[in-house]
Amino acid sequence: MDDHTVEPPHVWRDRLPSKYRDIAPRIVRAPLKEMTFVGGKFAPKMGAPGDDGPIADWWVYEDLHRPLTRLDTAVGYSRDEVKLEAITYEQMRPGSYSVPDRLADMDVNHVQSALCFPTFPRFCGQTFTEAKDHELGLLALRAYNDWMVEEWCGPEAQGRLIPLTLIPLWDAELAAAEVRRNAARGVRAVCFSEIPPNLGLPSVHTDAWDPFFAACDETGTVVAMHIGSSSRMPSTSADAPPAVGSTITFANCCFSMVDWLMSGKLDRFPDLKIMYAEGQIGWIPYILERADVVWEENRGWGGVADKVLRPPSELFAEHVYGCFFDDAFGLRNLDAIGVGNVLYETDYPHSDSTWPKSREVGEAQMGHLPQDVVERIVRGNAIELLGLTEDGLWAGPGA
């Protein structure tokens, strides 16, 4: 329920009119002058031809110059070799961007089907939201969705790659239309920001997103939120090393889930489902306990008495899913989370990925659980949530 695709260079070159060729997202090979990742902020600097520095493939779009990095695709390298460095396509594992190679790597890892988040567009399409030209941004976003459905998850994928699309975050009506456009061809998951105000967008406490939420509710489209989809990874200070943020990545999911549970939206949209990718699950029991106490004892002055009509833990059980790839603590407390609210992931090809040992990790951490519970966690819940076939495959357009 959380892998990633590194988009191949042709995605926008082949799917946008030729008049946009020089301004649409495109790959440029150039040196890297400098790159830092401090206080949760990633800052690369692109060199000119002939400058010193390692050569990298860069996505160029308006004022954005974004190199491919080893953190985008770390599988196949030892942990000690995974550093903050810029790379080219030739320096990454082909399964990062090639469908046949991805399926082969899934076979090695005992993975049948995978839902993949984007790389260059970022985890909920922030790249296009931040662009100056939203007319081109909308075309580029739709081109990505078409590539996702028709090529990445096309016939060559044999139903094993499950589409996950983007929306134009700057316009909730356009977002609703894009959800419906993709739902009509079988898409059942869409990316969204964990904390929209961090992107300068309205919060889930407003009515601004209601057209989008309504479209998801009506079409059975799952709202998928990945850590970092607010463009602000947790950190404690500007000079905190990346290890600090990496340890507390779950925090954004925690804040976001409380937002949703206290927003009233899960009562207003009874069929809406939301999921948190790469946030792990061990933190969930306490947050549900605390949210229920606040709702019971403080709702009169807490601003939720008239809109949150049931205990937050009940809303969680019906609407919210947590994804994990390595969380022995969470699995020891599964009864406090809910067997039906947990999904398995491998995070291929990122540095945190358990590939190619996801099965071994799962067996080690789930060995104490009954087989029927394991089956639900690693297959059944995802099949039900995404409307897959009984065999765990995406049935394709029109599904």
Side-chain angles (χ1 to χ4, degrees):
M1 290 298 288
D2 168 38
D3 281 358
H4 299 265
T5 177
V6 177
E7 300 80 18
H10 68 266
V11 172
W12 291 278
R13 182 190 66 207
D14 292 354
R15 292 182 176 274
L16 288 175
S18 58
K19 66 179 181 179
Y20 296 116
R21 185 164 297 161
D22 295 333
I23 58 173
R26 57 204 180 277
I27 285 290
V28 173
R29 186 159 288 190
L32 172 73
K33 288 183 66 176
E34 180 184 349
M35 182 158 58
T36 59
F37 184 57
V38 177
K41 294 184 178 181
F42 175 55
K45 293 184 180 179
M46 182 177 178
D51 284 352
D52 291 335
I55 298 298
D57 283 334
W58 296 71
W59 281 107
V60 176
Y61 177 48
E62 292 192 342
D63 296 331
L64 177 65
H65 298 89
R66 197 276 196 197
L68 300 177
T69 76
R70 179 58 61 212
L71 299 185
D72 293 328
T73 171
V75 291
Y77 289 78
S78 73
R79 298 293 188 187
D80 290 339
E81 292 178 304
V82 177
K83 301 176 181 178
L84 185 61
E85 60 181 350
I87 61 172
T88 66
Y89 279 94
E90 289 80 6
Q91 293 171 296
M92 68 174 70
R93 194 170 182 87
S96 304
Y97 58 87
S98 160
V99 170
D101 293 290
R102 173 60 64 92
L103 298 186
D105 279 353
M106 290 164 62
D107 289 341
V108 168
N109 204 29
H110 304 281
V111 171
Q112 181 191 42
S113 307
L115 184 84
C116 297
F117 283 83
T119 297
F120 168 71
R122 312 224 298 280
F123 293 145
C124 65
Q126 301 102 300
T127 296
F128 303 121
T129 299
E130 294 168 2
K132 298 172 186 153
D133 186 344
H134 276 171
E135 182 177 352
L136 175 56
L138 181 60
L139 292 175
L141 183 147
R142 287 175 173 166
Y144 173 87
N145 289 342
D146 292 345
W147 169 81
M148 168 62 63
V149 173
E150 298 166 5
E151 189 171 334
W152 184 252
C153 301
E156 193 174 33
Q158 304 168 40
R160 297 178 61 188
L161 296 175
I162 305 162
L164 174 63
T165 53
L166 302 173
I167 55 166
L169 292 164
W170 59 90
D171 188 315
E173 295 286 354
L174 287 176
E178 189 63 12
V179 166
R180 292 189 171 95
R181 181 176 84 94
N182 291 308
R185 47 185 179 172
V187 176
R188 291 293 177 268
V190 63
C191 298
F192 189 59
S193 174
E194 59 202 355
I195 308 175
N198 284 355
L199 304 178
L201 300 169
S203 79
V204 297
H205 300 288
T206 71
D207 294 333
W209 296 107
D210 284 6
F212 166 62
F213 296 156
C216 293
D217 180 71
E218 293 163 11
T219 60
T221 299
V222 179
V223 178
M225 293 169 283
H226 195 285
I227 58 166
S229 56
S230 59
S231 295
R232 190 180 302 174
M233 294 298 287
S235 190
T236 55
S237 65
D239 58 352
V244 171
S246 185
T247 302
I248 57 174
T249 51
F250 74 92
N252 281 357
C253 298
C254 174
F255 299 157
S256 174
M257 191 178 81
V258 174
D259 255 353
W260 277 90
L261 294 177
M262 298 299 187
S263 69
K265 300 302 180 184
L266 300 180
D267 275 314
R268 287 188 58 193
F269 301 101
D271 294 321
L272 190 63
K273 309 291 184 183
I274 66 175
M275 61 163 268
Y276 290 98
E278 209 173 316
Q280 312 300 349
I281 58 174
W283 53 273
I284 292 175
Y286 172 72
I287 292 300
L288 294 180
E289 178 183 286
R290 177 61 184 164
D292 278 359
V293 169
V294 169
W295 180 82
E296 184 67 37
E297 298 184 358
N298 300 333
R299 64 178 179 266
W301 63 264
V304 297
D306 60 342
K307 61 181 180 179
V308 181
L309 308 179
R310 292 180 289 155
S313 60
E314 290 186 16
L315 297 172
F316 174 89
E318 294 178 12
H319 295 271
V320 186
Y321 296 78
C323 301
F324 78 98
F325 57 83
D326 186 1
D327 191 342
F329 180 83
L331 289 166
R332 290 196 299 271
N333 294 275
L334 191 60
D335 288 346
I337 301 169
V339 171
N341 299 86
V342 173
L343 304 164
Y344 200 47
E345 57 188 20
T346 77
D347 197 29
Y348 179 106
H350 285 182
S351 59
D352 272 339
S353 179
T354 52
W355 184 92
K357 297 182 178 181
S358 300
R359 177 173 177 171
E360 292 94 318
V361 171
E363 287 175 341
Q365 297 188 351
M366 291 185 253
H368 65 290
L369 298 173
Q371 185 57 38
D372 64 322
V373 171
V374 175
E375 177 73 14
R376 288 190 67 182
I377 291 172
V378 301
R379 287 178 56 80
N381 290 339
I383 288 172
E384 180 180 349
L385 180 63
L386 296 174
L388 305 179
T389 69
E390 291 182 1
D391 295 327
L393 303 174
W394 182 54

